[in-house]
Amino acid sequence: VRSCIAACERRMLMLLPGTGSWEELPYPLNAKGLHDGQTASPGTPGCNLRITARGNRQEAIYQDDHDRQGFLMLLGGICRRNNWCIHAYCLMSNHYQLVIETPEADLSNGMRQLNGIYTRRHTRRHNRVGHLFQVDTGTEAKLLAVLAGYVVLNPVRAKMVTHAGQWPWSSYRSTSGKGSGFEWLHKDWLLSQL
């Protein structure tokens, strides 16, 4: 957790819609999650990002709960290995979203591990071939609390459930105290904002 707090003392970026370019937000990081004056990019240590990875041709990337559990266990290992801080997550049928803080400059390497290992396991288990994920993985940087709220409300917006607490494959239950969570889920900062 200390590395997460120290990492928050860097820059916040925002992806400009439709341009593929990044704009630096000019605010210092404080308890609300905004950053001070140094330049950063998505691979720079300390970025808060919403990561989205979609299935190829928007096909399902999880066939069942076993796939989802396996993905979450793999994510935990990647977090420990790369010192990532996950503040929120949501696994939908054809994509996943993470709100992640990267204390070290390791986003692309960790994402390659996460998507690559999961793809190999998934294709082997379900006797499939080819790509599981679309080539481009989207990233977006905004205020941490806004990103976390957006991610856990995904199933509600998709009309899969009427309340975020009904969806078992997000961090909402753990953050709200209605379920157990993973040791790699960093929810203290979000809870301190309530």
Side-chain angles (χ1 to χ4, degrees):
V1 175
R2 281 197 180 162
S3 60
C4 293
I5 293 167
C8 287
E9 296 172 0
R10 301 220 173 95
R11 265 324 241 178
M12 177 72 81
L13 301 174
M14 178 174 65
L15 182 62
L16 299 175
T19 66
S21 62
W22 293 85
E23 179 179 291
E24 190 173 341
L25 295 178
Y27 307 108
L29 180 67
N30 53 30
K32 297 192 187 300
L34 298 172
H35 292 273
D36 68 2
Q38 84 188 71
T39 304
S41 68
T44 299
C47 282
N48 295 320
L49 300 167
R50 177 176 62 100
I51 305 291
T52 302
R54 294 194 179 280
N56 198 25
R57 297 179 302 274
Q58 296 189 0
E59 293 176 354
I61 58 175
Y62 309 107
Q63 305 303 316
D64 53 29
D65 288 352
H66 184 271
D67 286 346
R68 288 179 181 90
Q69 282 290 347
F71 179 85
L72 292 172
M73 294 298 113
L74 175 62
L75 176 60
I78 300 291
C79 287
R80 283 186 293 280
R81 193 173 312 128
N82 292 291
N83 196 27
W84 285 357
C85 302
I86 302 291
H87 295 284
Y89 69 89
C90 188
L91 311 183
M92 301 294 282
S93 57
N94 70 345
H95 71 282
Y96 69 82
Q97 292 188 345
L98 308 172
V99 176
I100 183 173
E101 201 175 311
T102 55
E104 299 163 16
D106 57 1
L107 180 64
S108 62
N109 184 43
M111 290 304 299
R112 187 171 40 254
Q113 291 172 5
L114 179 61
N115 289 347
I117 294 170
Y118 180 74
T119 296
R120 285 190 296 278
R121 290 178 181 174
H122 183 273
T123 55
R124 192 174 329 135
R125 180 169 183 255
H126 297 289
N127 199 26
R128 296 183 178 200
V129 295
H131 297 285
L132 180 61
F133 292 101
Q134 290 178 356
V135 174
D136 58 334
T137 299
T139 58
E140 176 183 33
K142 283 187 181 173
L143 184 65
L144 186 60
V146 172
L147 292 175
Y150 178 86
V151 166
V152 298
L153 289 173
N154 234 351
V156 176
R157 281 191 304 278
K159 298 186 182 348
M160 299 170 84
V161 294
T162 57
H163 185 272
Q166 296 170 315
W167 189 251
W169 302 108
S170 82
S171 55
Y172 180 86
R173 287 182 180 181
S174 176
T175 303
S176 66
K178 294 183 167 87
S180 61
F182 297 96
E183 77 278 352
W184 45 261
L185 179 64
H186 295 266
K187 55 189 178 183
D188 295 337
W189 184 87
L190 287 174
L191 292 173
S192 74
Q193 301 305 299
L194 300 176

